[in-house]
Structure formats: structure tokens, C-alpha cells
Amino acid sequence: MHIDILTIFPEMFEGPFNHSIIKRAQEKKLVSISLVNIRDFATDKHKRVDDYQYGGGSGMVMMIEPIANCIDSLRQKRNYEEIIYMSPDGDLLDQNISNQFSMCNNLMILCGHYKGIDERLREAYITKEISIGNYVLSGGELAAAVFTDSIVRLLPGVLNDETSALSDSFQNDLLSAPVYTRPSEYKGMKVPDVLLSGNDKEIFKWRQDRAVQRTNARRPDLLKG
Ligand code: ADE
């Protein structure tokens, strides 16, 4: 999979993409991620990417030209299944959406700033808008990092234990069962006996029951479907 992320702050991705699972996925060539600086496609000598909004009002708007130039140039090299704009107006990200996007070959993700992007970009270029929650961030970068992480970890070969993504919370609309590691007793607090029993069938059943119990208690909305 290849992901192009269009941003005016490429440095913001250095932390999230250069550690842990996403770093390893890139090293193993399971994904390539390019950070594309929108400013490089600005046409005036000040490299301007934002301007005042027509009709007045506070807050700047990201201009159509640099972003359109950037997208046009990238599209000459690749066929993108989706051009995604990170925005609080978008579809609320969930595991289902991440699963679907993890099957794509080429994705473009646009990060907005200030008041947002010129509406004509949304009409002419954007095929999907995604929100990571009902709150407003200062820009799309953190949201794009969250979205990218949720996709990349699902690519075959990225996680060591192939089945571990399948037992994540939200897969099958269930939260995960509780997990424990050594020691089996800490200050009187014991790990449930069944997990030490070696009986795979019982352990599977216990985990399933606890996942349902926890989902019922904390996120009954997930069980409605
Ligand atoms: N940009 C600003 N806020 C956002 C949000 N909640 N989700 C995605 N992109 C955003």
C-alpha cells in the first residue's frame, strides 16, 4: 500500500510514523508513506497557501490552487482509490471504515488547517471525508496520523501475530476481554484460574463471555446490531 499525506506541517508526522508498528511496516516495505508539503505547490513568491474568506469572517481558508496543483501532480503518477479529507464534518472513523481502507492500494489524505479548505476542492477532488471524533482539532495532521495507524496495522504481515488484529476491541463489534501477564499473583490480586488452566476451549469461552459482558457494561450501543 502507498499513502500520500498532503500537509503544510510534514514534521508533525515524524513522531508517530518513525516508531513502533508503523516504522516496522515501512521497513518491511508493507507500506510506503510520503509526506507531501503543500507549500511546495504554491504559485506565488511568498509560497502562500491560505487567504481571507470571501464574505468576511474570522479565520483563513486554505487556497484551492496549491492543493489542486499538488493533487494533480500526484495523480499523474498514481491511481488513487480515494482522496480523503480529514475533517470534523466527515464520516466518524470506526473499525469498519479502517478495515475497508486497509484493502486499498493507493490512498491520498489531505490535512486541512485554519477554517478549512476552499469548498471547490471538496467538490472537485475529495472522494471521502473522515472525522476522528466529535471535537475540533487544530488541523488534520493528528487525525491523519490516527487514521493511518488504524489502517497500517491491519495490513497482512504488519503485526507479528497475524490473529492479534482480529481479536482487537471493535472487531466483531465487541470490546476485548481483559488480559494479564506475569506474575500470576500481585499483592493478593490473582489472574483468573481459567487462564492458567491450559484448557484452550475454556479459555476461548471465558474470553468470549468477558468480551460480551464488558461490551454490555461499557458500550451497549455496539451490541445493537
Ligand atoms: N480536523 C479538525 N478536527 C478534526 C476531527 N475531529 N477529525 C478529523 N479531522 C479534523
Side-chain angles (χ1 to χ4, degrees):
M1 173 186 275
H2 180 79
I3 305 176
D4 280 313
I5 300 185
L6 283 55
T7 171
I8 53 171
F9 293 118
E11 302 83 11
M12 283 186 72
F13 294 88
E14 276 165 19
F17 288 175
N18 293 331
H19 297 277
S20 185
I21 287 171
I22 301 212
K23 180 185 180 194
R24 205 169 57 223
Q26 292 173 93
E27 286 170 354
K28 285 196 201 166
K29 308 226 178 299
L30 300 168
V31 66
S32 53
I33 303 174
S34 299
L35 300 169
V36 185
N37 195 334
I38 295 167
R39 214 174 281 283
D40 293 342
F41 294 85
T43 47
D44 73 328
K45 68 172 190 249
H46 301 293
K47 296 277 172 204
R48 192 165 185 164
V49 292
D50 61 319
D51 210 335
Y52 297 100
Q53 49 177 312
Y54 278 120
S58 66
M60 307 293 274
V61 175
M62 289 182 77
M63 298 158 71
I64 189 166
E65 217 178 353
I67 295 175
N69 287 347
C70 182
I71 295 177
D72 287 341
S73 140
L74 291 170
R75 282 210 298 205
Q76 283 178 3
K77 286 178 264 168
R78 281 174 210 278
N79 255 328
Y80 295 88
E81 280 110 325
E82 301 275 5
I83 301 181
I84 301 140
Y85 174 46
M86 302 310 300
S87 157
D89 306 354
D91 292 346
L92 205 53
L93 181 62
D94 62 13
Q95 192 62 48
N96 210 4
I97 294 180
S98 299
N99 290 347
Q100 281 171 28
F101 278 99
S102 73
M103 288 182 254
C104 292
N105 294 311
N106 292 293
L107 292 176
M108 197 189 294
I109 304 177
L110 171 62
C111 306
H113 259 273
Y114 318 114
K115 272 277 168 203
I117 58 173
D118 189 303
E119 188 67 18
R120 290 166 291 183
L121 282 163
R122 293 163 105 156
E123 291 161 5
Y125 289 98
I126 301 301
T127 60
K128 192 92 185 164
E129 301 199 11
I130 296 211
S131 164
I132 65 158
N134 294 329
Y135 42 81
V136 178
L137 299 165
S138 315
E141 282 76 10
L142 293 175
V146 167
F147 180 47
T148 302
D149 184 291
S150 76
I151 294 171
V152 170
R153 62 193 303 287
L154 297 172
L155 300 177
V158 168
L159 296 182
N160 285 335
D161 177 356
E162 288 269 358
T163 60
S164 97
L166 294 176
S167 61
D168 282 345
S169 280
F170 297 110
Q171 294 288 10
N172 312 320
D173 289 335
L174 285 178
L175 301 181
S176 296
V179 293
Y180 301 85
T181 185
R182 287 189 291 183
S184 62
E185 184 172 345
Y186 177 73
K187 294 185 179 174
M189 293 184 286
K190 289 186 175 160
V191 172
D193 285 338
V194 61
L195 296 179
L196 310 175
S197 69
N199 184 333
D200 289 343
K201 213 170 133 200
E202 285 299 311
I203 292 171
F204 177 82
K205 188 176 169 306
W206 181 89
R207 287 190 171 141
Q208 193 69 17
D209 289 349
R210 295 300 293 263
V212 173
Q213 268 174 33
R214 180 164 276 188
T215 311
N216 240 326
R218 298 187 184 189
R219 293 294 306 276
D221 56 300
L222 293 176
L223 292 172
K224 277 189 193 123

